[in-house]
Structure formats: structure tokens, C-alpha cells
Amino acid sequence: MDDRLLIHNVRLVDETTDKPNAALLINGGKIERLLSAEDAARLLQQEGGSLAAFDGKGLVLMPSFIDMHAHFRDPGLTQKEDIETGCLAAAAGGFGTLVLMPNTKPVVSSQEMAEINNNKARLFGRANVIQSVSITRDFDGTTVSHLEDIQRETVPLVTEDGHEVTDSAVMLQAMRIAAKKGIIVSCHCEDPFLAAAARPLRQQALALLNSADEGQAGDEARRQAADLLSQANTLLALAEDTATDRNIALAAEAGCHLHLCHVSTAHCIESVRRAKKAGQDITCEVTPHHLGLAGDTAPRIFHIVNPPLRSEADRQAVVDALLDGSADCIATDHAPHTAGDKAGGSPGFSGLETAFAVCHTTLVLGNNMPLTTLSRRMSATPAHLLHLEDRGTLAPGKRADLVLVNTEEKWIVEGESFASKGKYTPLEGETVTGSVQATFLNGNLVFQA
């Protein structure tokens, strides 16, 4: 059986390539070579009907995206998402590989537990997952001995995700173990005491908005809600800024690779720049929602997420950081919830199926980022950081994990259409430009619009 596929009539784009009117030949799940339109036509003519062909209809073929931060809620919280639905959402969003967070029930705190989820995704065959492991066992804040048994080849990244390791001595010990093993320490930087002080303010604001009617009384309730949100967001900005600076200092002492999750303030961007300039091994990610959205000042509804949607100045700072390379990659922080949980104030959005559109709209159309640079931020750089040297570009010999996108299609976001179980999106009803039309994993078509 011929194990080849020719994807033709496409524009080929990766971090260093932009070839219009071209084609790509897949053989055995890997990229064999890139071809001109003329060479592709000649090959099709020579092979007759024995060579499978996929007409790209003039659209853009890129390496599939790699997400360094997603929640699939499996095990224990599968009413929100599971490996199967998460992989379906990933394929629909053009993602071929995703790093999953360990905040499940039970917490993923061993290599053996991580491999269970990796194997589940492998059997399903829509996307590859890399299950991360918690920094402290079961998020207990003190125990790090389990890290001695972690192998980088299976678990290249450890994280406490939505928690912070409050004890700096424990965090330093964990970072030293990770440094010895070449494992990334990924930090959700948020001082837990400041975050706890902000939580009731957000809940009060949510209650006011949920009860606000139209008219003068409703306007007053929304004004009070905006006040409460402003107070909460001040605390949450301090929470991110102070925890970021602490973790940078600890990582410098430990000599580990520090990766900062969902950086969202101008202060943190500047802290990253200073650390990089000093030669520290530090990288960071930015989410599509922090790129495309700023927090409301007089809301009728507000979108709860950690870290929160920031000011317009902060939003522009993270955009600028991606443009100049201070921020290394884009990660979705896909965090699906049930409708009831969202109504009750659970933080997070479903983001896999809107990520490319938001980034393309905001960065390429809104800020003149070359599509090659967007490919670097969404594919090549995360592949490099995770030591996945077999993917992330269109080079011959790489895995044929590919996404076909229409960069001109405008569409209206409707959460109910998501493949994810989580239907909540802050982009509900918004028009975005750029759609995923097909996704290939190891050369196999796993999604088609």
C-alpha cells in the first residue's frame, strides 16, 4: 500500500519559509519534500491514480500548532473535558501536540500517571499530549522527592499550575532537581494570599452583575461591580508581579530553565527582558485572550480568568513582547468548564478552537506580524523548548503534523459549536479572521471543516 500523500495547491509557511503556489509530499507520516506547483503536477501525472492527493485550494499549509499549556481535566473532572473531547478540540483548532496541566483529581504527580494520559491520546489518534507533573506531590506544597524519578524524555515540564509553591526553600529545592535533569519548571506566578484577598471582590462583582436590571439601579450596580473589579485586579496584578520576580530570582540561583505561564502584565514582561539580558535561561508564553482582549471598565458582564484580562496598556505590552521576541510563544491555557461552574465564577475559557483566529486577527492583521513569525511563536519555538525536534517546521524528515488555514475567512464565534465540552468563550458573537480548514497528524487527516 502506498503510504504517500501529496498536499498541493497551497502556500507553504513555517518560521523560515513562505512559498506560494507550492506542494508538500508526505511519505510514511513524515515530510519527504517540498515541491513547486509544476513539480507537483508532473508527479501527479507520472503516478496516475496511485498517489493520494489533497487539494489545498490555494490556502496556507503550516506546521500544526504546539500548545504548552492546556487543561483536559482527565482524570476526575471529565464533566468539563476529557482526553477524547480535548483532542477533538485540539484537532479542530489546528493543534498537533499539547502539554496538559496536572490539576486533575487525583493530581498528576508521577511519571506513571503522566504516561496514562499520553497513551490515552495516542490510542485516540487526533492529537499528541504530553502530560506534565506537579512540582510538589499532590500540590501539598512541601514534597518534591517524586521529581527525582521523572524522566525528561516523557515529562519535559513540571508545574504547580494554578497553585504557587509558597515556601521559597521548597521551590528552590524543586528547581535544583529540575536543573539537574534538564526539565522545565513552568510557573503560574501568583501570590496566593493576594489572590485570596481578590477572590471575594470578584464574587461580589459577579453577584452584582447577575442581579443588575436595566435602568438607573442597574447602572449603579454595574458601577459598583466595576469598582470591585478594579480593586481585585490591582491585587491580582501585584500577585503576578511579585511572584514572577521571586521565581525569576530562585531560578537564577538554581540554574534551571524557568518558563512563565500566561504572562499578562507590563511589569512581568520587563522582568523577563531583564532576566534574558542577564543571560538567564528563561522563557515565557502569552495567551490569545490576553493578546486580543482587555478588561472591561464598566462591564455588563466580565469574564473571569486567572490571570484576569488586564488593562489596554498591559495588553499592548504583551503584544509588543511577541513582536520583538521577548515573549517566546503562544499558549492557549484552554480551561473548559461546565455552564454551571462558569456561572458560579470558575476561572478560565475554552481557547483551542479560537486561538489561531485571535492571534491572526490581533497580530498579523492588527500589528503586521509576518505569518512566518506567528508560525514560530505557535509551532517552532514550543517544539524547540520541549525538545520535540521532529516537529514544528516544514523541513523534510519532520513529522507531517500540519494545519491548513484560510487567512481570509471571517467568522462569528459561537461557543455552542465547539468540539470541546466547554462552551464558554469571551469571544461569543465576535467576528474574527482566519479559520482552520484541515488538520493532519502523522500525515493522516484528523479534522476537516
Side-chain angles (χ1 to χ4, degrees), residues 174-399:
M175 287 178 165
R176 283 174 170 159
I177 296 171
K180 179 176 64 177
K181 289 178 162 289
I183 292 172
I184 300 167
V185 178
S186 180
C187 289
H188 173 122
C189 296
E190 186 176 69
D191 180 285
F193 303 107
L194 289 168
R199 197 170 298 121
L201 299 173
R202 294 171 101 180
Q203 291 296 333
Q204 292 171 49
L206 183 64
L208 281 167
L209 291 174
N210 285 343
S211 63
D213 297 322
E214 295 301 320
Q216 188 172 350
D219 289 343
E220 175 60 19
R222 283 184 282 274
R223 186 196 65 74
Q224 292 177 22
D227 250 5
L228 291 166
L229 281 178
S230 178
Q231 294 173 51
N233 287 345
T234 296
L235 292 172
L236 290 169
L238 282 171
E240 183 175 349
D241 293 347
T242 55
T244 295
D245 291 341
R246 184 206 74 152
N247 288 331
I248 289 174
L250 292 174
E253 174 63 27
C256 73
H257 178 173
L258 177 67
H259 181 77
L260 301 179
C261 301
H262 41 54
V263 173
S264 67
T265 72
H267 173 97
C268 291
I269 291 296
E270 285 307 310
S271 294
V272 170
R273 286 193 176 108
R274 284 195 299 273
K276 286 187 172 187
K277 189 174 181 180
Q280 189 167 344
D281 189 5
I282 181 172
T283 53
C284 72
E285 68 191 39
V286 173
T287 73
H289 49 270
H290 288 113
L291 290 169
L293 298 167
D296 297 323
T297 54
R300 290 180 176 271
I301 185 172
F302 74 97
H303 304 289
I304 298 181
V305 65
N306 290 334
L309 300 178
R310 302 294 190 188
S311 69
E312 175 58 25
D314 285 322
R315 188 195 73 81
Q316 192 58 55
V318 296
V319 168
D320 291 344
L322 273 177
L323 292 171
D324 69 22
S326 301
D328 300 88
C329 60
I330 296 163
T332 67
D333 194 10
H334 174 74
H337 293 287
T338 64
D341 286 344
K342 278 307 295 181
S346 292
F349 315 137
S350 293
L352 288 171
E353 293 164 78
T354 55
F356 173 73
V358 173
C359 294
H360 181 261
T361 302
T362 303
L363 297 171
V364 176
L365 299 182
N367 286 274
N368 298 314
M369 174 184 276
L371 198 55
T372 51
T373 303
L374 182 59
S375 183
R376 178 177 298 123
R377 303 282 184 259
M378 294 188 76
S379 302
T381 295
H384 176 69
L385 296 180
L386 294 166
H387 313 290
L388 303 174
E389 303 305 337
D390 62 345
R391 66 201 80 173
T393 73
L394 299 179
K398 300 282 188 177
R399 288 171 49 125

Side-chain angles (χ1 to χ4, degrees), residues 140-163:
D140 68 6
T142 58
T143 307
V144 299
S145 56
H146 64 293
L147 299 180
E148 296 284 5
D149 298 323
I150 300 300
Q151 299 301 314
R152 189 189 80 171
E153 292 73 21
T154 304
V155 182
L157 181 151
V158 295
T159 178
E160 210 76 343
D161 185 47
H163 300 74

